[in-house]
């Protein structure tokens, strides 16, 4: 209830309230002047805006466009996103849609060529002559993967050759994005590059955090909101927070690790989301708890939850690693596991038993499902069959591939690789709940 | 914003009753999600091993807080293509608002992210409450193309409607990050249950006619016996459901009393041992298990077919049941019969797959020499090569090598006791072994000569087969332990 009330005025909940100018004055003015050149002085332009994830690129562009639109000059913005418009066909369709938003549905029926022609016709004249066009290509690097880069080529070429004013802004986290352009595309690009950085000083980082939490006096349409006693108190509590050393220390930690604003928002939001009628003000203890919830090494946690048998198998694999052997299959691991269990007479006393192969195989497959081990593609087994090899590599590029592969070979023999460092294993063994001393010994000592 | 509010304290309490041992996780989730109209963190990642209650708890909480048009639940196992995912989400989010604008959603067609976004923008435009999209078994999302998940995480930015994406997975988040960078989630961890919590959860299913203490003491032992290799609630539940009737059995035929718990355990110890592999590995189905160890409860014959003569016959003797179940297992695993010569073909393939080719002459001398020669030969060879036997890279562990068919045939002819006069059938037998996947072709399918294969059969099975034709394969294998 409370956050829905705050959403009108609190930036962390409502990104459109964020004023990103504070730390980015220079960058915004650069972007702004480029846009103004196109919109007001009818000059065409192209530029890349580069910066790490969450550094505020999209927000900066948005704000610059907002500022221009307040000057009452006509212009049209076309937003494309490389994640959504994954080929030239869909990009063109989207451009067409955004250009004549009146007759939206129909344009999508056009063919590739028709859409292109339509686009060019709109650009070249007709009733729209002169309306400056601003293209924003978010995730710019993904557009370079379109076959032949036709879209990029067309746009950059138009920027150079058309009388109609237009600007193309690419947004990307890749510093080497220009190098992804084909030669003929590259030669048409202005090579103007604007870098965006997250705040460099902790002080400005703190200021961003404070701005994000404090409720403002404007809503997202920039209308003034009346101040209420609750809002005044709320901001007073925020001020107190920033005087608390533990709060500042935790923010400092986040700053030293990440620095970008998205990650700052990530740790602040739980505290805000937890507000309710019973506790209407931000609470340090909730902040501390939610930060602690996030400070985990997931791999080690995953190992702590596996069964003792699975842990023993991992330790058996570690024995191989210690000998410099990095590829093994289930048979080899089970053999080593048997050796371990047989090595020390005290096994019987410790209540551990040697599990049958089939039970161990089930455990082994569970480790695969958790992606603690990974089947090796080549496996050394697909010797002469290019078909098989090709298909298996397609599957594994897709990411998953945790199955003990292929109909081609008994799963016991598929070679796998352990995706854990020996030091990880040692740490996990030491933390494993109720670990029998014997297993702890195996896990931490090279035998 | 016309959303109702939910009494979170009540919800917390009812969740605690339904899901013992998950209070911290429920708290954490409620803290993040809050009221229907509240904004939530944009991205949650819920992870934990199998059967830790992820799916049930998330679905329970979402259904209690949100109405179905604001929270969509997608199981990525069921929806395994982008198209299915899009359409299922739109169906759920659009369902209960049949109007001119959204009415067509019941059979909406949506093929691409681009269309999906424009549908999402148009959905429910009037009151834009935050939306929630849950992806269960989210590791499967990675199979849907590299831009699929990153694009979903931008939904809020692209539609201007606050949208929370919730992923549920057994695989840690590390394995999801694509090369191009991605937003980071807030993590919610569902750890595995300890003994105490496990017992509380299992006790929820205590049969109504059994005293709770009695049931608990039984569960406690089940946990102690099986937790070393399996802490999965679902697996334990399965074991409990099938073992508990055995445990109670002596109560009904008067062999023990309820107070004699240790005695009851002694009486059902064999079943525990059998359960460890047969049930756990699903080598027999639970129906078979019940059939094979069903007993008649005296005075309780309302029970369906307990009067079946076969069933009651086996149960009186106690032990036959055990061996019966064991027998069943061998049968299901190894029971398939091959023609006599085909067996030898398979044996020869196994030998060719696991023995080094250079030793063929010494193992399989053609002439009339008896196996005893080969045996001696083998010992000599092993002694000679002692330096690299028994290692961790022996063929037995590495698995089968591929071999040219000609080599296998040479071995085949030398191990046959009686020479075979007509060998026309051999090729078709090889082909049928390939069809059965007992042999696997490793050479290119279009290649006609120089065919290579490998043997795809486990040692246990080949031993079983060779014994059935009185062939002692152990004596012909190099470096097997
Ligand atoms: N200097 C800043 N002051 C206040 N808020 C900021 C600042 N920079 C970024 N933000 C906020 O951080 C969040 C992330 O910013 P944004 O989406 O623009 O990043 P981005 O660089 O486009 O990231 P990505 O590469 O992932 O697209 C937004 O909510 C934005 O409002
Ligand atoms: N704390 C609990 N209290 C009661 N029942 C529980 C609890 N945890 C799990 N269960 C039960 O265990 C079963 C499996 O739970 P669920 O399917 O939610 O797990 P999951 O974590 O989604 O597993 P998976 O990763 O295999 O999908 C369900 O029947 C559920 O009711
Ligand atoms: Mg961006
Ligand atoms: Mg589940």
């Amino acid at each position: 209830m409370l956050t829905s009330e705050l959403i009108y005025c609190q930036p962390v909940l409502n990104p459109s309230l964020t004023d990103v100018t504070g730390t980015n004055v220079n960058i915004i003015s650069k972007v702004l002047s480029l846009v103004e050149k196109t919109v007001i002085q009818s000059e065409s332009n192209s530029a890349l805006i580069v910066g790490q994830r969450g550094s505020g690129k999209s927000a900066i562009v948005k704000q610059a466009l907002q500022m221009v639109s307040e000057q009452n000059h006509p212009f049209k913005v076309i937003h494309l996103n490389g994640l959504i418009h994954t080929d030239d066909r869909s990009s063109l369709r989207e451009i067409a849609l955004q250009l004549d938003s009146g007759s939206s549905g129909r344009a999508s029926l056009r063919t590739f060529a028709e859409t292109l022609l339509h686009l060019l016709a709109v650009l070249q004249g007709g009733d729209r002559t002169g309306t400056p066009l601003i293209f924003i290509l978010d995730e710019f690097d993904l557009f370079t993967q379109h076959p032949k880069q036709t879209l990029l080529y067309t746009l950059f070429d138009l920027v150079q050759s058309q009388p109609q004013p237009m600007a193309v802004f690419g947004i990307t986290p890749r510093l080497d994005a220009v190098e992804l352009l084909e030669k003929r595309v590259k030669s048409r690009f202005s090579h103007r590059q604007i870098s965006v950085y997250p705040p460099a000083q902790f002080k400005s980082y703190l200021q961003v955090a404070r701005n994000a939490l404090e409720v403002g006096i404007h809503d997202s349409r920039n209308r003034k909101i009346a101040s209420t006693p609750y809002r005044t108190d709320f901001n007073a509590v925020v001020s107190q927070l920033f005087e608390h050393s533990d709060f500042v220390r935790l923010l400092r930690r986040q700053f030293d690790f990440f620095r970008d604003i998205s990650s700052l928002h990530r740790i602040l939001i739980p505290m805000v989301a937890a507000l309710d009628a019973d506790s209407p003000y931000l609470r340090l203890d909730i902040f501390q708890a939610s930060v602690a919830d996030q400070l985990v090494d997931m791999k080690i946690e995953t190992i702590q939850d596996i069964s003792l048998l699975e842990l023993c198998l991992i330790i058996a694999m570690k024995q191989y690693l210690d000998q410099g052997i990095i590829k093994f299959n289930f048979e080899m691991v089970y053999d080593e596991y048997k050796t371990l269990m047989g090595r020390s007479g005290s096994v019987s006393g410790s209540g551990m038993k040697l599990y049958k192969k089939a039970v161990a195989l089930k455990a082994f497959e569970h480790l695969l499902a958790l992606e603690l081990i990974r089947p090796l593609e080549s496996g050394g087994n697909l010797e002469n069959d290019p078909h098989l090899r090709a298909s298996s590599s397609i599957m594994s590029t897709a990411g998953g591939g945790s199955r003990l592969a292929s109909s081609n070979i008994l799963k016991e023999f598929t070679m796998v690789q352990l995706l854990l460092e020996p030091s990880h294993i040692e740490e996990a063994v030491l933390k494993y709940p109720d670990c029998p001393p014997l297993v702890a010994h195996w896990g931490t000592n090279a035998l | 914003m016309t959303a109702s509010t939910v009494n979170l304290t009540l919800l917390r309490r009812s969740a605690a009753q339904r899901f013992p041992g998950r209070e911290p996780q429920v708290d954490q989730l409620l803290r993040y999600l809050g009221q229907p109209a509240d904004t939530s963190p944009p991205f949650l990642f819920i992870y934990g091993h199998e059967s830790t209650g992820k799916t049930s708890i998330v679905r329970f909480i979402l259904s209690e807080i949100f109405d179905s048009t604001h929270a969509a639940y997608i199981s990525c196992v069921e929806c395994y293509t982008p198209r299915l995912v899009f359409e299922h989400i739109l169906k759920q989010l659009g369902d209960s608002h049949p109007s001119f604008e959204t009415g067509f959603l019941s059979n909406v067609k949506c093929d691409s992210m681009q269309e999906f976004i424009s549908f999402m923008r148009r959905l429910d435009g009037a009151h834009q409450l935050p939306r929630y999209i849950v992806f269960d078994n989210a590791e499967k999302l990675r199979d849907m193309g590299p831009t699929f998940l990153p694009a979903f995480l931008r939904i809020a930015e692209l539609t201007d409607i606050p949208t929370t994406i919730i992923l549920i997975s057994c695989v840690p988040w590390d394995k999801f990050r694509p090369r191009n960078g991605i937003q980071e989630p807030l993590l919610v961890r569902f750890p595995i249950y300890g003994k105490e919590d496990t017992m509380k959860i299992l006790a929820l299913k205590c049969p109504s006619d059994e005293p709770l203490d009695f049931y608990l003491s039984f569960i406690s032992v089940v946990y102690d016996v099986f937790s070393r290799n399996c802490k999965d609630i679902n697996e334990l539940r399965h074991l409990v459901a099938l073992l508990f009737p055995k445990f109670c059995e002596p109560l009904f035929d008067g062999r023990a009393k309820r107070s004699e718990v240790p005695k009851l355990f002694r009486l059902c110890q064999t079943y525990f041992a059998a359960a460890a592999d047969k049930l756990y590995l699903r080598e027999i189905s639970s129906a078979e298990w019940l059939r094979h160890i069903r007993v008649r409860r005296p005075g309780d014959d309302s029970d369906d077919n307990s009067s079946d003569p076969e069933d009651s016959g086996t149960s009186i003797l106690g032990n036959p049941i055990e061996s019966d179940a064991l027998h069943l297992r061998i049968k299901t695993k190894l029971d398939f019969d091959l023609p006599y010569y085909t067996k030898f073909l398979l044996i020869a393939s196994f030998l060719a797959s696991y023995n080094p080719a250079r030793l063929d002459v010494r193992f399989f001398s053609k002439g009339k020499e008896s196996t005893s020669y080969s045996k001696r030969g083998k010992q000599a060879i092993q002694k000679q090569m002692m330096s690299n036997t028994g290692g961790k890279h022996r063929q037995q562990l590495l698995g089968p090598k591929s071999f040219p068919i000609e080599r296998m045939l040479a071995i085949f002819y030398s191990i046959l006791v009686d020479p075979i006069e007509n060998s026309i059938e051999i090729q078709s037998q090889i082909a049928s072994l390939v069809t059965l996947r007992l042999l696997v072709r490793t050479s290119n399918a279009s290649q006609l000569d120089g065919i290579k294969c490998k043997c795809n059969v486990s040692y246990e099975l080949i031993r079983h087969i060779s014994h059935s034709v009185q062939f002692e394969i152990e004596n012909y294998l190099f470096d097997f332990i």
Side-chain angles (χ1 to χ4, degrees), chain B residues 379-444:
Chain B
Q379 276 153 9
I381 293 163
Q382 294 227 322
K383 204 169 274 168
Q384 187 185 332
M385 310 187 52
M386 211 44 165
S387 53
N388 53 1
T389 60
K392 296 295 181 195
H393 277 122
R394 55 184 201 266
Q395 204 65 43
Q396 180 188 8
L397 298 184
L398 291 178
K401 308 186 295 278
S402 58
F403 52 81
I405 288 293
E406 296 76 22
R407 178 175 164 228
M408 183 273 280
L409 287 176
I411 297 176
F412 171 71
Y413 288 118
S414 78
I415 58 176
L416 278 184
V417 188
D418 310 310
I420 184 175
E421 61 267 22
N422 188 343
S423 62
I424 298 173
E425 257 63 65
I426 297 292
Q427 288 304 331
S428 80
Q429 282 312 305
I430 293 177
S432 95
L433 284 174
V434 171
T435 316
L436 289 168
R437 288 252 148 218
L438 297 173
L439 280 188
V440 175
R441 267 182 83 137
T442 57
S443 56
N444 203 322

Side-chain angles (χ1 to χ4, degrees), chain A residues 1 3 90 94 141 266 294 298 301 305 308 329 335-336 356 362 366 371 383 398 408 410 413, chain B residues 38 50 114 142 173 175 180 184 187 189 192 228 277 280 392 394 397 399 402 437 440 456:
Chain A
M1 215 171 53
T3 64
S90 66
E94 183 71 26
D141 50 305
R266 189 170 77 245
Q294 304 309 312
M298 282 200 266
E301 305 237 314
D305 280 357
L308 191 64
N329 59 25
D335 198 66
E336 181 65 37
K356 283 209 226 139
K362 192 166 170 176
H366 187 223
E371 298 184 21
E383 287 150 50
N408 202 23
L410 281 181
F413 296 120
Chain B
D38 284 0
E50 291 84 355
Q114 193 182 2
R142 296 172 301 173
W173 170 244
K175 313 274 178 182
N180 245 1
E184 292 288 315
L187 308 174
R189 177 174 181 243
I192 203 112
R228 283 284 164 88
D277 34 278
Y280 178 59
K392 296 295 181 195
R394 55 184 201 266
L397 298 184
S402 58
R437 288 252 148 218
V440 175
N456 198 29

Side-chain angles (χ1 to χ4, degrees), chain B residues 15-23 46-59 73 136-137 139 168-171 190 193 197-198 200-202 204-205 232-234 237:
Chain B
Q17 262 165 21
R18 284 172 81 122
F19 305 105
R22 282 286 97 119
E23 287 84 358
I46 297 174
Y47 72 109
H49 284 211
E50 291 84 355
S51 309
T52 46
K54 304 182 294 296
T55 306
S56 357
I57 290 175
V58 170
R59 297 203 73 170
Y73 171 87
D136 204 347
N137 309 105
E139 61 280 358
I168 304 180
S169 179
C170 301
V171 175
F190 277 57
Y193 297 106
D197 289 334
T198 306
K200 276 191 211 152
I201 296 166
L202 293 178
L204 294 176
K205 288 268 161 84
D232 190 313
I233 293 280
N234 270 337
R237 230 181 228 173

Side-chain angles (χ1 to χ4, degrees), chain A residues 53-54 56-59 81 138-139 171, chain B residues 154 157:
Chain A
R53 291 241 169 258
K57 303 179 294 295
S58 307
N81 189 316
D138 212 336
E139 310 292 334
I171 302 180
Chain B
R154 301 275 173 182
E157 190 178 327

Side-chain angles (χ1 to χ4, degrees), chain B residues 350-387:
Chain B
F350 191 86
L351 292 169
S353 266
Y354 286 91
N355 280 354
R358 66 198 143 85
L359 300 180
D360 282 357
V361 194
R362 314 182 73 158
F363 272 129
F364 313 109
S365 46
K366 277 217 175 103
K368 296 245 176 293
E369 254 118 347
S370 67
T371 45
S372 67
Y373 168 84
S374 300
K375 212 172 195 168
R376 257 187 289 117
K378 174 185 175 166
Q379 276 153 9
I381 293 163
Q382 294 227 322
K383 204 169 274 168
Q384 187 185 332
M385 310 187 52
M386 211 44 165
S387 53

